[in-house]
Structure formats: structure tokens, C-alpha cells
Amino acid sequence: MTDQTHDPALQSWVESANEAGTDFPVQNLPYGMFRDSRDGLARLGVAIGTQVLDVTAAFGLKSMKAVMEKPKAERVDLRRRISGFLLTRERGSEGLLTPMAAAELLPPCEIGDYSDFYASIHHATNVGTMFRPDNPLMPNYKWLPVGYHGRASSIVLSGTRVRRPRGQLVDNPAGPPVYGESRRVDYELELGALLGPGNAMGEPIPAEQAASHLFGVCLLNDWSARDIQTWEYQPLGPFLSKSFATSIAPWVVTMEALEPFRCAPEPRPASDPQPLPHLATGGHDAYSITLEVWLRSARMAGPMRLSRGNFSTMYWTLAQMVAHHASNGCPLRPGDLIGSGTVSGPLKENRGCLLEATCRGTEPIELPTGETRRFLEDGDEVILRGWCEAAGARRIGLGECRGVVEAALAP
Ligand code: CA
């Protein structure tokens, strides 16, 4: 439900929040952790224009976890109070602002568990067709959101350099595998969702309540080594091809901020099964979020856009992923992270990873420098961007998630 905090006419006394192109107007209020250079302490902040509001000093909340674990109604109330603070200037309010450019941004929280899904049917079909031309989708795909358990220890904040991994790969299909550096490093454009209140072990989350267990979303890059993946993924799914690094953006846009952009998922074809009752979340729990990938090689002056898609084209919603994840009684906890899976749409320009965009490397992308890319080279920077627009709503953004690929360590 939208409320007064979503009114597109609202203007903050923080003037940079009122500029047309900002990702962080007063209608957004994404949370992030930052370190204050004055006392060196980690604090909870809210992005507002080009500034960070010190929520720890203003509202006494020491961490994002302290907000995540609150019930939905309390999170809605806190949003109203932060909105009010940024709408009406009080004496001394400016003292609680830090320029974002001067703040050291920190990871949102210690990620508990990380699970990654595969919720775009366009991505699953494109990738499935490359590996199994006559059988791209497994029989379970339209019945449950397929996922695997990822690795929380290698989740890094945007801006962290990502080292090219080594692993087992098969250079010569007739010969044995070798242990060497991956030559098929890829990005995956995803949305990450951080969990709010959890469930007790053994108690599934009812489908209609699943959305209230979501805290917020951030941009997520699920770096992938395709050559390692090809060799290892059967029968138990991806493992070391994914766990070398996953980047997340520092700003977590709350589910409350996304309310004006909530929409019905794309209708399923009549021949597809309807979700079973435990995954029937009500049908209005998709989100219209434009998501883009940009690439800048070491020789390029500025980045070039590689793809643009929309999160509303996903076959499964975040709430369905939550309901499915807990449906066996597995406890989810505040600060757990789920990845949506690569966000790809029906068109070639919507393909959210190089594996798809270059058709497994067979159709290289040409860069303005004359360079070509089948997969990522050392020095390449991948930049994810995202934002929401809708009639009658103020545009809000998710900021950026960046990472540069650096050379593998010498063997
Ligand atoms: Ca993924």
C-alpha cells in the first residue's frame, strides 16, 4: 500500500534529493551502512540525494539488521518517521548529513545464507537451449522456482575488485580436465533480496505472508566462470563456478519504497500450470524495475550499455521464492540473501549475461575501441544500474553495482 511517503510532490530540505535525475529522492530512502570518518564507527544511513543521513544518530538504530528483523508494520512506521525528518528541517538536522562521496560505504549486513534462483524463463530457455537444444527446460521449471545454495563468504560490496578464478576445465573434449585460469568469466545481472523477519524451523511461510518477510532489494552481480560451470554443474548444480565472488550494491531499496512499482506478473501462457497453493502468492507481487548492464574495458573512456531488461518479466516472483524456500520448514533469517537469477527478457537486448548476449561466445560484442568481447577480459569493469518509473510516482533508483575483473594470481 502506498502512503504519504510516496507522494511524488514531496520535496526534501536536502536540495540534491529534489533534482530530476537523482536515484535517491525523499520517496526512496534506501538503507546502507557507512563509516563516519570522524569517529570511525559503522553506522546505519539512508541515501538522500548526494548525502547520507545518519539514521543511527537520528533514530538510535545501530545496524540494518536492527531494521530488518522488525515486523512489516514497524518498518512502515520507521519509513514515515525518516520521511518526516527529511521533509521538515529542524535546527541541527544538517549535522546528521555526510556527503556520500566522502562516506566509506560498507556491506549492508553480515549475510547469513545466500541462495540463488533461476527465475527468468527467458534466461533459463536461452541457456538451456545452448546446453540441451532439444530439452531446454527441465520438467520442474514451471512448478517451482529452481535454486541452489550459494556461498555467503564471497559476497563483496560494489567496487571490490574480482579476481579471475582458477578451476577445473576441459580444454580438449577428448582429453582430461586441467586446472587453470577461467577464460570464460561472465557477469549475471540479478536483483538481490535481503530477508526481513524469518520463520521458525519446521514452520513454512504461508504464500500470502511471504511478501512481508522481504526487507528490500539491491543490485547483484553473480560473477560466473562458464568453463568451470560447464564441467562441474551436473548433477548437483553450480559450485565453484559461482562461489569465487558475488557483488552487491551498498543501497538496499525497501519493499515499502517499491510499492508504487508493484504490478501483476506477466500472464503465464494458458498451457502452463498455475502455481500450487503453497506458491500462490496472490498475483500482484511482481515489480517493474528497469535493469541495465554497462561495460567499460580498460581502454574505453566511458562505459557502453550491453543490455536493458525489466524485472517484471520474471517467471517467479520474490515472494514465491521466499514461500518455496521455506516450504520444507527451512528457517530463513533476517539478513539472508536471495538472488533472483539472471534477469533476461524476450528480446536479444534484454539478455542479462554474456553467455546469452554472445550466444555462448559465437557472436562477439564489438566495443567502441574496436575490441571485441565473448567473455570478460582482465581490466573490464561491469556496472549494473536499476531504477523504477511509473505514472503518478517519483522515479527512484537502486544506485550502481560495480566490479573490475583482475588477473588471476600466478599459479
Ligand atoms: Ca545466477
Side-chain angles (χ1 to χ4, degrees):
M1 207 171 24
T2 56
D3 60 21
Q4 70 269 23
T5 65
H6 301 95
D7 183 345
L10 295 180
Q11 299 263 302
S12 173
W13 51 265
V14 181
E15 283 165 17
S16 58
N18 306 326
E19 286 168 15
T22 182
D23 275 353
F24 308 123
V26 73
Q27 291 84 352
N28 192 349
L29 308 177
Y31 292 106
M33 293 296 295
F34 72 106
R35 197 189 311 279
D36 190 312
S37 58
R38 287 166 290 193
D39 59 13
L41 295 176
R43 291 160 175 277
L44 177 63
V46 153
I48 180 77
T50 60
Q51 308 289 310
V52 182
L53 170 68
D54 186 341
V55 173
T56 296
F59 296 92
L61 291 153
K62 290 203 166 67
S63 68
M64 205 176 309
K65 199 78 135 275
V67 185
M68 285 172 178
E69 53 198 22
K70 289 180 185 293
K72 174 88 176 173
E74 288 182 34
R75 283 178 275 145
V76 169
D77 180 64
L78 180 61
R79 173 179 166 86
R80 289 188 186 141
R81 288 192 288 142
I82 295 171
S83 173
F85 185 92
L86 290 165
L87 291 174
T88 309
R89 184 186 214 141
E90 307 273 350
R91 250 174 81 143
S93 294
E94 301 86 342
L96 299 179
L97 297 178
T98 300
M100 202 179 287
E104 181 195 351
L105 298 177
L106 305 171
C109 63
E110 190 171 333
I111 306 293
D113 278 296
Y114 165 49
S115 307
D116 196 28
F117 286 88
Y118 195 49
S120 163
I121 198 167
H122 305 288
H123 172 69
T125 304
N126 289 339
V127 173
T129 304
M130 291 175 206
F131 291 91
R132 299 174 300 275
D134 42 356
N135 182 28
L137 290 184
M138 292 289 162
N140 57 12
Y141 191 85
K142 293 178 178 177
W143 291 97
L144 55 80
V146 170
Y148 68 94
H149 195 268
R151 188 79 190 157
S153 63
S154 52
I155 294 172
V156 296
L157 191 65
S158 168
T160 307
R161 294 172 73 83
V162 171
R163 191 173 293 286
R164 179 178 299 275
R166 287 178 187 281
Q168 267 197 27
L169 14 115
V170 177
D171 275 342
N172 173 3
V178 296
Y179 176 73
E181 61 181 73
S182 170
R183 282 182 293 274
R184 296 196 156 205
V185 171
D186 199 353
Y187 56 80
E188 287 191 343
L189 166 67
E190 299 196 22
L191 202 61
L194 285 158
L195 272 290
N199 56 309
M201 186 158 169
E203 294 180 11
I205 296 173
E208 63 277 10
Q209 289 172 26
S212 68
H213 289 262
L214 287 162
F215 169 70
V217 302
C218 62
L219 296 166
L220 183 151
N221 184 345
D222 178 24
W223 302 94
S224 301
R226 300 303 184 189
D227 36 12
I228 298 173
Q229 185 177 357
T230 303
W231 173 236
E232 76 172 3
Y233 87 100
Q234 295 195 87
L236 288 185
F239 190 48
L240 303 184
S241 55
K242 301 286 189 170
S243 59
F244 61 97
T246 306
S247 299
I248 56 171
W251 298 111
V252 181
V253 174
T254 64
M255 303 321 287
E256 291 75 47
L258 292 174
E259 268 301 291
F261 314 100
R262 188 157 61 87
C263 57
E266 288 196 346
R268 293 183 171 202
S271 55
D272 284 8
Q274 288 304 305
L276 292 174
H278 73 292
L279 299 178
T281 47
H284 207 76
D285 55 350
Y287 292 92
S288 177
I289 305 172
T290 302
L291 295 167
E292 289 183 344
V293 181
W294 294 68
L295 175 73
R296 189 181 61 78
S297 76
R299 285 170 50 194
M300 285 164 69
M304 161 188 171
R305 193 178 74 208
L306 297 186
S307 75
R308 173 185 282 181
N310 194 294
F311 193 61
S312 64
T313 61
M314 304 297 270
Y315 195 79
W316 296 100
T317 66
L318 292 172
Q320 286 174 319
M321 295 177 217
V322 169
H324 175 63
H325 209 319
S327 64
N328 64 345
C330 169
L332 306 181
R333 294 175 292 198
D336 283 356
L337 178 69
I338 58 177
S340 63
T342 306
V343 181
S344 293
L347 307 176
K348 194 167 183 197
E349 69 200 47
N350 308 139
R351 295 180 177 179
C353 64
L354 284 175
L355 180 69
E356 285 173 85
T358 70
C359 295
R360 213 177 176 179
T362 60
E363 296 173 19
I365 290 171
E366 196 159 324
L367 306 181
T369 48
E371 301 169 277
T372 56
R373 284 295 178 275
R374 299 167 195 274
F375 292 96
L376 296 171
E377 302 284 338
D378 294 344
D380 284 355
E381 181 174 32
V382 178
I383 305 158
L384 310 184
R385 293 177 181 157
W387 70 90
C388 306
E389 285 175 321
R394 181 79 155 90
R395 175 195 183 280
I396 65 169
L398 282 75
E400 290 183 339
C401 181
R402 292 174 173 262
V404 175
V405 177
E406 63 180 13
L409 284 177

